[in-house]
Structure formats: structure tokens, C-alpha cells
């Protein structure tokens, strides 16, 4: 749409979905942090001075001119390890996020109609919600060997089910709207309805799910690393943390600051920024008053889990009170 | 009431069966077997045949499954590949430590979370409430191992008050146990409380807007009375959800135990993974999952029993 020169800027015809605040200072900070971490991951080859598994100096060297953070107990450069670890952990988070969000969306939408499939999905969801997924992951990883690909597959397999239920509920809500009925009356095919009416409404939900899954995957990877299960070939935040916590004198000097510090801080920053940015994404969807901000972030799973636990009868809690807030926040806060 | 117990129990049973089947199926379905794991030195042929004979690995899976169920019924989970002691014994001696850790911190986090959540539900909207919420969200999103490291740094390194790791030696007194359990429990409480606080805040906040509470207020109830009414309504939901969160706490406990060198199932899991001691890993998975399932099913039953409309 070319606009004639000198014309007054016409306000966008697209009505904003919420009149609420846009990007505030903390959210902008979170976006910056995310961007910086992604930048480190992309430019890993440029920023790191050594290859990930290269011996760069004597074991446990103190920082020097070519070793900004010193070395670990095998003489590897901690700075390069952190940089390559960032690449691995973010790659893992993003792949798990993409795979399990896609699976959740597909399963949720598919089960919105048919009955048997819906029941299977919810049965699986209950299983995943109630057993300690982490123990299952440890068992799986111990058997297959902790390669990055196996971890991505295992995490994605566990990560979609709880959320599929939320997608199903939301899809049903959207399908009952008047404009969908109108569209169907005008002869719209199911695919058209899905693309034009359902998916755009689900988009904020899916974005939030993606970010929360990234956060979850990175934290689980780090925890698995601490338990001793991380890909031996590719350094990740988890593997660096694992080797750091295996060193018995970690807290005796200031080694912890250079060794466990960078990956631990990165995990914390990433979880925080995913939460904050995810909140922004969710805010474009449901109701958002200043007060509800963030509370749903951690109660995330409750909207879905509550429904599981309590069934459709809602047991005395007013309809929609928690669901509305948490709808966008569905799926695991943590395993 | 019996019906309500029934549904909770049925679900618990179904999930328990699911765990049993997963414990059988996962190692057999995944590519690669413990017998061919590349990290292991090649087993002497006698050992390989003994293991194959013990699990009937050359027979059809139906027979294997029947054998698996029979051994389970006898309480036989196999033997550790490292210490050659029965798995039930190896895992069993760690169970009390983890149960102590998880139950203490779960209870602490539930009580603290309920208090904080109620407090924030009745606080007036404004800057202070928002600050509270942001702080809760931030603390709650920190991974457990990070909280653990910060606590070690504060209370064991800078202020040498508490042991950073380990457990007391066998003839222990309660005071010694408490000293060693304290920091791990605090870690789990710190990282689990925000979830419970936000949950109870949402639930209580929603109930407080109900007309029947307006009526309670109009009758002149004090604010304690109002909260008592609100909590009676919220408690079943809250307990059920808090019970489901036990699974998450066990994950956290695994990392925390590892950081503190605490002698629970998490540390055992670490050692077993390092030595590829598959029967022990499976034993931890089975016992851990069944314990969590039992606890959350019991809690759900209690929650349903507490619901005045059902009773």
C-alpha cells in the first residue's frame, strides 16, 4: 500500500487486541537478555578462543591473558566452554520448544473433535502430569546414552501432553464463536476455519507455550547435567555445571565463580527472560489487568492440571477465574 | 463418599500400572541394551549368560513380563551390577532420607505458600503488591541447584554455620540429622513456595469475590472469619494441586541432593548413572514414581473428603 507523499499517517486499521501497556522496562530487559544469549550462541565460533574440548592450559588455571575465566579440571578454557554451552543449550531449548509446541497444537486441535483420540490424549496427559517425568527421563537417558538428539526427542515426547489439553479446550471455545458459525454458513471448509479463525486466536497461547517449554527444557538439561547425564561430545550448560559440582573443592576458593557461575547465571537469566517475554505474549491474548501480571507464570500448569484433577464440575470455584488467567500459561512451569 | 475415594484410587491404580509397564517396556523398547552399552567393558561371557537367564532375555516378551511381575510380587527388583546387593535393599536404605527431605519441604512450602498467597490476595492493589508478585515469580523461576549453591555460599562458606554437604555417620542424633537436612529443605522450600503462593493467591482471590463472602461480611464476620470461609472452599482444590506438584519436588530433590551430597535417592541415582547400574536406576524410577503416586492419590482422597458437599 503506497501512501502518497506528505499524507498524514493513518492509524493502523488493525485494532489492538488489548489496550494494555506495551513493552515495559523489565520486559525490554528480558528481550535484550534473550537477544544477547542468542547472539552468543550464533557467534560462538567467533567469540570462543578455543574449540570446545581443546586443552587450553594447565588444569584449574587462574584467569590469564588468553584465558578470561581460567580452566577447568581438565585444562579446558571455561570461557569457550560457556560459549559453546550456550549454543548447545539454546539449540536444545529451541528444538524441544518447536517440536513439542507443534505436537501439542496438532494433538489439541485434532482431539477437539473426535472423542476416542481426545480420551487417549487426556489419559496420556494424566500419566505425564502425575509421575515424576524427571525419573523417567533419567532412565531413558541412561539407556540410550545422553546424546543431544536423544535428549531433544525425550523432552519433546514428555513436553506436549499437558498443553494439548489446553489447546483442545481453547479450540472448542473458538469453534463455538459466532463468526465461525457465520463462516461455516458461508461454506468455509474446516481447513479455512482452522487457518483463518482458530490458529490466529491460538497464536498467543502457542507462543507462550513455546517460551515456557524452552525454559523448562533448559532447566531440565541443566539438572540432568548435574545428575551426570549430559552429552559428552557437546559441552552444554548442564555438562559444565555437572563437572563443576563433581569437583569436591568447588566452594573452597573462588573457582565456583568462574566455573559454575556463568552457566548457572545463564540458566537463571534465561528462565527469567522466558517468563517475562512469555508473559508479554500471553498478555496479547486473555484478560490482562496490571494485577494479574506474572502470577500465572508459575501457576502455569494449574489451569490445565486443575481441570484434570477436578473434572468438568469445577467444584465451587467460580467459572473461568483461574482458567482465564492461566489459559495462556498452560503447560508445565516445571517438571 | 466411597465413590469419591473410588475415583481417586482408580486413577492412582491405573497410573501405578502405567509406571510398572513403563519400567518393563522402556528398557526393552529403546535402542541399545545394557548388555551392549558401549561405555561398558565387554562383559565376560558367563556374566552375560547369567544376566540373560535372570531376565529371560531370550524368551518372548510375554514370558518376560510374567516373570517380571512374579519377581515384583516377591519384592525382587534384581541385584545391583556394582555391589551385587539386592536393589530393594540398596534403594530402600535411601528412601527414608528422600522421604524426610521431600515431605518436610513440601509441608513447609505448602504452609508458607498458603500464608503468603492469602496475604497477597488480601493486599490492596498497588506498587507493593506488584513488587511482591514480581519477587515471587523471580524466585520461583530459579532452578533448585542455583538456590542450593547460593545457600551453600551464604551459610557454609561466608558464615560457616552449617555443613555444606554429607550426612552424619550412623549413630546419629536428631540434632545432627536436622543440621544436615536443614539447608536442603530450605532450598526446596524456597523454590517451591512461590508456586504454592501464586496458586493459593489465585484461588483465594477468586473466592473472595464471591457473593456468599459478601454475605459473610455483611453478617459482620471479622477478617479471620471471612478467610476461614474462603479457605474452606479453596482447600480441596489447593491440596489436590499441591499433591500433583510433589512430582516436581522430587525432580528438584534429585538436583539438591546431588549438590549437597545428601544420601537420598537422588545421590544414589547419580552414582548409578555414573556406573551404568541399570537395575538400580530402574529401582529408583519404580520406587520413586510409586511413592509419589501413592502420596498424591492419598492427598487427593483427603481433599475430596474435605469437600463439605461430598461428605
Amino acid at each position: 500500500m503506497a501512501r502518497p507523499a506528505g499524507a498524514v499517517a493513518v492509524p493502523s486499521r488493525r485494532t489492538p487486541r488489548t489496550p494494555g501497556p506495551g513493552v515495559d522496562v523489565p520486559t525490554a530487559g528480558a528481550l535484550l537478555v534473550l537477544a544477547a544469549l542468542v547472539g552468543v550462541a550464533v557467534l560462538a565460533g567467533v567469540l570462543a578462543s578455543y574449540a570446545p574440548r581443546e586443552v587450553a592450559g594447565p588444569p584449574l588455571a587462574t584467569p590469564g591473558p588468553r584465558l578470561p575465566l581460567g580452566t577447568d579440571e581438565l585444562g579446558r578454557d571455561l570461557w569457550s566452554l560457556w560459549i559453546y554451552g550456550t549454543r548447545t543449550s539454546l539449540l536444545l531449548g529451541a528444538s524441544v520448544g518447536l517440536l513439542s509446541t507443534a505436537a501439542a497444537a496438532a494433538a489439541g486441535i485434532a482431539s477437539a473433535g473426535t472423542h476416542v483420540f481426545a480420551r487417549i490424549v487426556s489419559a496420556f496427559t494424566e500419566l505425564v502430569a502425575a509421575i515424576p517425568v524427571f525419573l523417567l527421563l533419567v532412565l531413558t537417558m541412561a539407556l540410550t546414552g545422553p546424546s543431544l538428539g536423544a535428549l531433544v526427542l525425550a523432552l519433546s515426547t514428555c513436553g506436549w501432553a499437558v498443553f494439548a489439553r489446553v489447546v483442545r479446550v481453547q479450540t472448542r471455545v473458538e469453534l463455538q464463536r459466532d463468526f465461525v458459525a457465520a463462516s461455516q454458513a458461508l461454506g468455509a471448509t474446516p481447513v479455512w476455519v482452522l487457518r483463518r479463525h482458530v490458529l490466529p486466536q491460538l497464536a498467543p497461547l502457542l507462543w507462550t507455550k513455546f517460551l515456557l517449554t524452552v525454559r523448562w527444557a533448559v532447566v531440565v538439561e541443566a539438572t540432568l547435567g548435574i545428575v551426570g547425564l549430559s552429552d559428552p561430545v557437546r559441552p552444554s550448560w548442564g555438562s559444565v555445571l555437572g563437572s563443576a559440582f563433581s569437583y569436591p573443592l568447588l566452594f573452597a576458593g573462588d573457582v565456583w565463580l568462574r566455573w559454575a557461575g556463568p552457566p548457572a547465571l545463564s540458566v537463571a537469566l534465561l528462565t527469567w527472560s522466558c517468563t517475562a517475554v512469555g508473559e508479554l505474549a500471553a498478555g496479547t491474548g486473555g484478560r490482562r489487568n496490571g494485577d494479574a501480571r506474572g502470577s500465572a507464570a508459575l501457576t502455569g500448569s494449574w489451569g490445565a492440571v486443575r481441570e484434570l484433577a477436578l473434572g468438568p464440575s469445577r467444584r465451587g470455584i467460580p467459572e473461568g477465574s483461574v482458567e482465564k488467567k492461566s489459559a495462556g500459561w498452560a503447560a508445565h512451569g516445571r517438571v | 463418599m466411597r465413590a469419591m475415594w473410588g475415583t481417586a484410587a482408580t486413577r492412582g491404580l491405573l497410573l501405578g500400572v502405567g509406571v510398572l509397564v513403563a519400567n518393563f517396556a522402556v528398557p526393552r523398547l529403546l535402542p541399545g541394551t545394557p548388555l551392549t552399552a558401549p561405555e561398558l567393558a565387554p562383559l565376560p561371557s558367563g556374566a552375560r549368560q547369567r544376566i540373560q537367564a535372570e531376565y529371560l532375555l531370550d524368551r518372548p516378551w510375554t514370558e518376560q513380563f510374567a516373570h517380571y511381575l512374579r519377581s515384583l510380587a516377591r519384592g525382587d527388583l534384581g541385584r545391583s551390577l556394582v555391589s551385587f546387593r539386592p536393589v530393594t535393599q540398596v534403594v530402600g536404605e535411601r528412601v527414608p532420607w528422600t522421604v524426610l527431605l521431600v515431605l518436610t519441604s513440601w509441608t513447609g512450602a505448602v504452609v508458607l505458600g498458603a500464608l503468603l498467597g492469602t496475604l497477597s490476595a488480601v493486599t490492596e492493589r498497588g506498587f507493593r503488591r506488584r513488587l511482591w508478585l514480581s519477587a515471587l515469580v523471580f524466585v520461583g523461576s530459579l532452578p533448585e541447584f542455583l538456590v542450593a549453591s547460593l545457600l551453600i555460599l551464604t551459610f557454609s562458606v561466608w558464615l560457616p554455620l552449617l555443613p555444606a554437604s554429607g550426612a552424619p555417620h550412623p549413630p546419629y542424633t536428631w540434632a545432627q540429622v536436622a543440621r544436615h537436612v536443614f539447608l536442603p529443605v530450605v532450598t526446596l522450600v524456597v523454590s517451591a513456595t512461590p508456586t504454592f503462593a501464586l496458586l493459593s493467591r489465585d484461588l483465594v482471590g477468586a473466592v473472595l469475590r464471591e457473593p456468599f463472602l459478601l454475605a459473610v461480611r455483611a453478617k459482620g464476620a471479622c477478617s479471620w472469619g471471612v478467610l476461614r470461609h474462603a479457605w474452606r472452599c479453596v482447600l480441596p482444590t489447593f491440596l489436590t494441586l499441591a499433591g500433583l506438584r510433589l512430582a516436581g519436588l522430587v525432580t528438584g530433590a534429585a538436583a539438591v541432593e546431588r549438590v549437597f551430597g545428601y544420601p537420598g535417592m537422588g545421590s544414589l541415582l547419580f552414582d548409578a548413572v555414573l556406573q551404568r547400574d541399570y537395575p538400580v536406576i530402574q529401582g529408583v524410577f519404580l520406587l520413586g514414581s510409586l511413592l509419589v503416586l501413592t502420596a498424591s492419590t492419598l492427598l487427593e482422597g483427603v481433599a475430596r473428603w474435605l469437600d463439605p458437599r461430598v461428605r
Side-chain angles (χ1 to χ4, degrees):
Chain A
M1 284 209 304
R3 194 184 291 152
V8 183
V10 183
S12 161
R13 277 183 50 215
R14 221 179 123 204
T15 45
R17 275 188 224 158
T18 42
V23 181
D24 53 5
V25 176
T27 316
L31 278 169
L32 272 182
V33 167
L34 266 189
L37 285 174
V38 171
V40 168
V42 172
L43 297 176
V46 183
L47 291 172
S49 21
Y50 295 94
R53 298 166 70 201
E54 191 180 340
V55 174
L60 295 170
T62 44
R66 288 220 59 197
L67 301 165
L69 292 176
T71 59
D72 69 358
E73 92 282 29
L74 296 176
R76 294 173 299 189
D77 178 25
L78 285 172
W79 167 250
S80 308
L81 275 182
W82 174 71
I83 286 176
Y84 281 106
T86 307
R87 174 180 273 186
T88 312
S89 288
L90 289 192
L91 191 67
L92 170 107
S95 343
V96 173
L98 274 179
L99 281 177
S100 69
T101 308
I109 291 172
S111 65
T114 57
H115 215 69
V116 180
F117 189 68
R119 299 199 73 154
I120 294 176
V121 168
S122 39
F124 190 71
T125 308
E126 296 213 15
L127 192 70
V128 173
I131 68 168
V133 179
F134 182 74
L135 293 180
L136 189 61
L137 281 174
V138 169
L139 181 64
T140 316
M141 285 301 106
L143 284 160
T144 57
S147 72
L148 190 65
L151 189 55
V152 166
L153 271 183
L155 284 174
S156 313
T157 313
C158 294
W160 62 275
V162 178
F163 192 78
R165 226 182 137 116
V166 178
V167 172
R168 193 182 75 214
V169 172
Q170 197 60 33
T171 307
R172 285 196 177 146
V173 170
E174 298 303 335
L175 284 178
Q176 279 161 6
R177 287 184 192 273
D178 289 343
F179 57 77
V180 172
S183 180
Q184 279 165 341
L186 288 170
T189 60
V191 176
W192 173 269
V193 170
L194 200 65
R195 242 192 44 219
R196 288 299 297 264
H197 299 312
V198 176
L199 278 182
Q201 300 290 328
L202 289 180
L205 210 70
L206 295 179
W207 259 111
T208 310
K209 149 77 180 160
F210 173 74
L211 286 165
L212 286 184
T213 312
V214 170
R215 176 181 99 168
W216 171 75
V218 168
V219 170
V220 171
E221 195 273 336
T223 312
L224 279 173
I226 289 175
V227 180
L229 281 169
S230 47
D231 194 329
V233 185
R234 291 159 164 269
S236 64
W237 289 342
S239 72
V240 177
L241 283 169
S243 65
F245 284 116
S246 295
Y247 179 61
L249 298 177
L250 181 67
F251 290 107
D254 65 342
V255 207
W256 61 271
L257 198 60
R258 296 178 276 117
W259 195 347
L265 190 67
S266 316
V267 173
L269 279 176
L270 187 88
T271 50
W272 168 72
S273 53
C274 279
T275 313
V277 177
E279 219 172 87
L280 184 75
T284 57
R287 176 184 58 161
R288 174 179 166 127
N289 48 23
D291 181 55
R293 287 201 65 213
S295 77
L298 286 173
T299 47
S301 51
W302 301 127
V305 177
R306 214 173 79 88
E307 199 202 335
L308 295 179
L310 307 172
S313 64
R314 289 280 159 24
R315 324 195 102 228
I317 309 298
E319 184 84 28
S321 53
V322 182
E323 271 77 7
K324 256 188 198 159
K325 261 185 227 167
S326 317
W329 280 106
H332 34 239
R334 291 210 198 137
V335 198
Chain B
M1 183 189 135
R2 186 176 292 162
M4 291 326 261
W5 270 103
T7 48
T10 314
R11 209 181 74 198
L13 269 182
L14 277 179
L15 288 171
V17 170
V19 168
L20 289 184
V21 172
N23 187 41
F24 173 81
V26 166
R28 286 167 176 81
L29 290 180
L30 285 177
T33 68
L35 290 178
T36 58
E39 311 86 23
L40 287 177
L43 288 165
S45 60
R48 172 182 299 260
Q49 272 151 15
R50 234 186 6 259
I51 291 174
Q52 270 192 340
E54 187 175 341
Y55 294 99
L56 303 180
L57 288 181
D58 45 352
R59 311 305 295 262
W61 71 267
T62 41
E63 265 179 62
Q64 290 182 36
F65 191 61
H67 175 69
Y68 164 75
L69 288 183
R70 271 198 303 275
S71 341
L72 267 187
R74 285 199 310 270
D76 175 11
L77 296 178
R79 277 171 183 278
S80 158
L81 296 180
V82 177
S83 64
F84 303 110
R85 289 163 58 217
V87 169
T88 29
Q89 199 183 336
V90 174
V91 181
E93 64 197 26
R94 305 295 189 106
V95 166
W97 289 100
T98 298
V99 168
L100 175 71
L101 172 64
V102 170
L103 274 193
T104 318
S105 36
W106 182 83
T107 317
V110 161
V111 172
L112 201 62
L115 282 177
L116 288 178
T118 315
L119 207 66
S120 99
V122 295
T123 314
E124 279 174 29
R125 288 183 183 186
F127 180 71
R128 267 188 36 211
R129 179 158 154 168
R130 272 182 41 208
L131 196 70
W132 248 115
L133 281 180
S134 313
L136 278 179
V137 171
F138 181 72
V139 172
S141 61
L142 292 178
E144 285 89 352
F145 62 82
L146 193 67
V147 179
S149 316
L150 292 178
L151 284 176
I152 288 186
L153 283 173
T154 317
F155 292 103
S156 302
V157 179
W158 287 331
L159 309 167
L161 295 175
L162 290 163
S165 71
H169 293 295
Y172 25 72
T173 61
W174 281 108
Q176 280 173 326
V177 173
R179 262 169 65 84
H180 281 90
V181 170
F182 186 72
L183 279 187
V185 165
V186 171
T187 309
L188 283 182
V189 168
V190 165
S191 42
T193 300
T195 320
F196 294 136
L198 294 173
L199 173 66
S200 62
R201 191 195 80 104
D202 276 358
L203 293 173
V204 171
V207 171
L208 282 179
R209 290 192 291 274
E210 286 279 283
F212 80 88
L213 276 178
L214 193 64
V216 170
R217 277 200 199 99
K219 274 165 60 185
C222 60
S223 41
W224 278 116
V226 173
L227 283 182
R228 207 171 55 84
H229 275 86
W231 263 104
R232 247 193 113 174
C233 192
V234 164
L235 198 60
T237 318
F238 182 69
L239 274 187
T240 309
L241 293 182
L244 289 180
R245 170 71 201 161
L246 265 174
L249 219 62
V250 167
T251 307
V256 167
E257 286 182 7
R258 169 88 188 94
V259 174
F260 284 102
Y262 181 88
M265 287 160 84
S267 308
L268 178 68
L269 197 62
F270 172 75
D271 295 335
V273 163
L274 205 66
Q275 296 157 336
R276 295 289 184 269
D277 192 350
Y278 295 97
V280 171
I281 301 178
Q282 274 186 284
V284 171
F285 165 71
L286 191 69
L287 276 181
S289 306
L290 288 183
L291 279 176
V292 168
L293 273 182
T294 314
S296 55
T297 307
L298 279 182
L299 265 171
E300 199 183 330
V302 170
R304 285 174 191 241
W305 176 74
L306 276 175
D307 195 329
R309 283 162 305 170
V310 178
R311 195 154 34 150

